Amino acid sequence: MQAIKELLKQLAGIWNELGLNQKITVMAAGFAVVAALVAVLIWGGRTDYSLLYGNLDTAEAGRVTQALDSSSVKYKISQGGGAIYVPSAQVHQMRMQLATQGIPKGEGIGYELLDKNTLGMSDFMQHANYNRAVQGELARTIAKFNGVDSARVMIVSPENRLLIDPGRHATASVFLTMLRMSRPSSETVSAIQMLVANSIEGLSLNHVSVVDNSGNVLSVHDEEGSLVAVTSSRLRARQELENYLGKKVETMLEKVVGSGNVVARVSADVNTDSETITQEIYDPLAKAIKTEITTTERTSEPVGQPGGPAGVTPNIATGGANTQIPAGSTNQLDYLKQDTESEYAVSRSTTNKVVLPGQIKELNAAIFVNTTNPPAGLVASLHTAAVLALGSYVTDTNKVQVQPVTFDTTERDQMLAAVGSSNFWTRFWDVGKSFMYIVLLVGGLYLVVRTFRNTSEEFIPTGMTVGEMLADRMADEAAITAGAEMAAAQVQATAVQRP
């Protein structure tokens, strides 16, 4: 305690030696340092909040805040209760924790509707609850698409009857609420139709209607096999082919000239006709024996010996009786007959060929490369690479053109500058928070040092300890006292000498 008292006494002595202006400067510097340290502590201890959930309705926001209160987690509410913010360090943890509790549930009611007790419920109510559950699950799934804020799904299923009516079929309609009044792409609409059609038994793709909150009918209903449906499918197939080939060329050339410096457009002439070709070819020179039948016949009979007078008359008169074959004669006549019937098969080949639509007849490609002074041979090399990338469909290399041009990047540069400025200030504040303590400390020390430097040694001697400075002060006071006493003694002596 004695040391502390001595220290306080020394500090008080130093303070008394300072002038009025110096005292004000020291007080102001000390106050500024203390205020800066307090501000840094408050700023550094401030909690950064991040978005936990947005676009919530009142009921869902209430369930989320109730769960946060039970977990003793601080939160902020904005956008009229539709957005909830929590400390940044707890965002992911709270999302996982709330997901295990089924919060938030999203638009509508899903299959949890079927968890209720259905005892005593009629078949009609069970069927209605099942439809409601399917509608809710589909709405939740569709709301996950990019650009879709929320969705509602309505399903109409025909009643089950003994007699099947071909004119009765299931239908569905989807209502989309888009973000920032945007409009979904045709691919997104087709995906939604496919998703709904494959989730409902007996539902055809053409019986799913999709509309948005701006009143636009997004779905196209083409009867299967109709001219419109066939034309639309062929047009989509051609667009997909052209986009695929153009992207193929762009991604390859961007490896050479940089990302975003290539634009490729491909035009394809696609054969949309279907053909069935049947061809039979006969080769008369190439023949083979198919069947061969051979018949052999053998006969034998005795040969008679003529007798009597020769001539016609005796034979006519006797009726041939004079022709005699002596007994024991062995003379006979043998007959051999052989017939061969051959059937030959002529060589024949039959070919059935079905040519489906979609064959590429011709390709044209236009490619722009963002470069002003390309090196010698670069454009020719890029042209060769583009032709090879398009494949054997290119019948004439002159129909693939590569042109070096200068792109207008004004809008992109402005966006990059805006993003870079935002990132710069974000990084600036992050780094500033880290070095603020050091800057304030150095600033405070500078003010103190500057204050003492501007003070003359007459008031604050330098190079002396506090004890030496107090000893000098006491010696000065003693000298002043001694001088005063000597002056008083002289005055008194002068007064005595006078009569």
Side-chain angles (χ1 to χ4, degrees):
M1 291 297 295
Q2 187 65 28
I4 296 176
K5 290 181 179 180
E6 291 294 336
L7 178 61
L8 294 176
K9 185 177 179 180
Q10 292 177 1
L11 292 177
I14 295 174
W15 178 258
N16 293 330
E17 294 295 334
L18 297 176
L20 180 61
N21 295 334
Q22 295 173 341
K23 291 180 179 181
I24 294 174
T25 304
V26 172
M27 291 177 62
F31 178 78
V33 171
V34 172
L37 291 176
V38 172
V40 170
L41 291 175
I42 294 175
W43 185 24
R46 185 182 59 181
T47 304
D48 293 332
Y49 285 83
S50 299
L51 180 65
L52 180 64
Y53 291 113
N55 299 322
L56 297 175
D57 56 15
T58 306
E60 289 292 344
R63 283 192 284 267
V64 172
T65 54
Q66 184 178 3
L68 294 177
D69 290 334
S70 62
S71 300
S72 301
V73 177
K74 297 180 180 180
Y75 58 87
K76 291 183 179 180
I77 300 176
S78 63
Q79 299 180 6
I84 300 177
Y85 293 81
V86 297
S88 301
Q90 297 178 313
V91 170
H92 302 292
Q93 178 183 358
M94 292 310 303
R95 284 179 181 174
M96 292 185 290
Q97 183 175 344
L98 293 177
T100 58
Q101 303 176 14
I103 302 174
K105 294 182 179 179
E107 293 288 338
I109 301 176
Y111 283 126
E112 63 270 11
L113 182 63
L114 303 179
D115 296 336
K116 299 180 181 179
N117 187 10
T118 59
L119 184 63
M121 187 178 296
S122 62
D123 292 339
F124 175 79
M125 289 302 301
Q126 290 183 4
H127 183 69
N129 287 340
Y130 175 75
N131 278 344
R132 289 177 59 194
V134 174
Q135 291 173 177
E137 292 294 334
L138 288 174
R140 292 177 182 177
T141 305
I142 295 173
K144 301 297 183 181
F145 281 85
N146 292 332
V148 178
D149 184 16
S150 61
R152 293 194 64 186
V153 180
M154 283 71 73
I155 300 172
V156 178
S157 300
E159 298 179 0
N160 294 327
R161 296 183 178 181
L162 296 177
L163 299 178
I164 299 176
D165 186 1
R168 296 174 60 86
H169 48 73
T171 59
S173 59
V174 181
F175 179 81
L176 301 178
T177 301
M178 305 301 298
L179 292 174
R180 298 178 296 276
M181 301 299 293
S182 60
R183 184 164 182 167
S185 61
S186 58
E187 291 79 7
T188 302
V189 176
S190 300
I192 292 174
Q193 287 183 287
M194 186 68 67
L195 175 66
V196 176
N198 287 283
S199 301
I200 309 300
E201 182 180 2
L203 180 59
S204 175
L205 183 66
N206 293 326
H207 296 152
V208 179
S209 302
V210 182
V211 298
D212 63 2
N213 55 329
S214 298
N216 300 317
V217 179
L218 305 176
S219 56
V220 179
H221 299 282
D222 298 333
E223 294 297 331
E224 186 175 359
S226 64
L227 178 61
V228 177
V230 173
T231 304
S232 299
S233 62
R234 290 178 178 178
L235 181 60
R236 285 194 297 269
R238 178 179 175 180
Q239 290 176 346
E240 291 177 359
L241 174 64
E242 292 175 348
N243 292 335
Y244 165 73
L245 294 176
K247 193 67 176 178
K248 186 178 179 181
V249 174
E250 285 183 1
T251 53
M252 182 183 64
L253 298 187
E254 283 179 349
K255 301 296 184 181
V256 180
V257 296
S259 177
N261 292 322
V262 179
V263 175
R265 295 294 181 266
V266 178
S267 177
D269 185 7
V270 181
N271 184 15
T272 58
D273 299 331
S274 59
E275 299 178 0
T276 301
I277 301 174
T278 302
Q279 186 178 17
E280 292 186 2
I281 300 176
Y282 294 89
D283 187 2
L285 299 179
K287 59 183 179 180
I289 298 176
K290 185 177 181 181
T291 58
E292 186 177 30
I293 301 174
T294 303
T295 304
T296 303
E297 182 180 353
R298 289 179 178 273
T299 59
S300 61
E301 59 184 19
V303 177
Q305 296 293 331
V312 178
T313 302
N315 290 331
I316 296 174
T318 59
N322 60 346
T323 302
Q324 298 178 357
I325 299 175
S329 177
T330 59
N331 294 330
Q332 63 179 5
L333 182 63
D334 294 331
Y335 294 94
L336 176 63
K337 181 180 180 181
Q338 185 175 0
D339 296 330
T340 301
E341 181 179 353
S342 299
E343 181 180 357
Y344 292 90
V346 180
S347 176
R348 182 185 67 173
S349 61
T350 303
T351 304
N352 291 326
K353 183 179 181 181
V354 178
V355 180
L356 298 177
Q359 183 179 4
I360 300 176
K361 296 190 296 184
E362 188 177 6
L363 280 181
N364 298 319
I367 304 169
F368 286 162
V369 179
N370 185 21
T371 178
T372 53
N373 296 317
L378 177 61
V379 176
S381 300
L382 296 179
H383 177 267
T384 303
V387 171
L388 294 176
L390 293 175
S392 60
Y393 303 111
V394 180
T395 57
D396 187 359
T397 58
N398 293 325
K399 294 183 178 181
V400 178
Q401 295 293 329
V402 179
Q403 295 294 334
V405 296
T406 302
F407 289 178
D408 183 9
T409 59
T410 304
E411 183 178 357
R412 185 180 67 177
D413 294 341
Q414 292 176 354
M415 294 179 61
L416 292 176
V419 173
S421 177
S422 177
N423 293 336
F424 169 76
W425 286 110
T426 301
R427 292 192 299 268
F428 174 78
W429 286 114
D430 292 341
V431 174
K433 288 176 61 176
S434 302
F435 290 95
M436 186 60 69
Y437 294 102
I438 300 175
V439 172
L440 291 176
L441 180 60
V442 172
L445 293 176
Y446 172 75
L447 290 176
V448 174
V449 172
R450 182 179 178 183
T451 301
F452 284 99
R453 281 184 177 180
N454 293 333
T455 304
S456 61
E457 295 185 0
E458 180 181 358
F459 297 95
I460 304 179
T462 58
M464 299 177 60
T465 63
V466 176
E468 293 176 350
M469 186 175 63
L470 291 177
D472 290 343
R473 179 182 175 185
M474 293 175 65
D476 293 339
E477 291 179 354
I480 294 172
T481 303
E485 291 179 353
M486 291 177 62
Q490 290 178 358
V491 171
Q492 186 178 3
T494 303
V496 172
Q497 292 177 0
R498 291 179 181 178

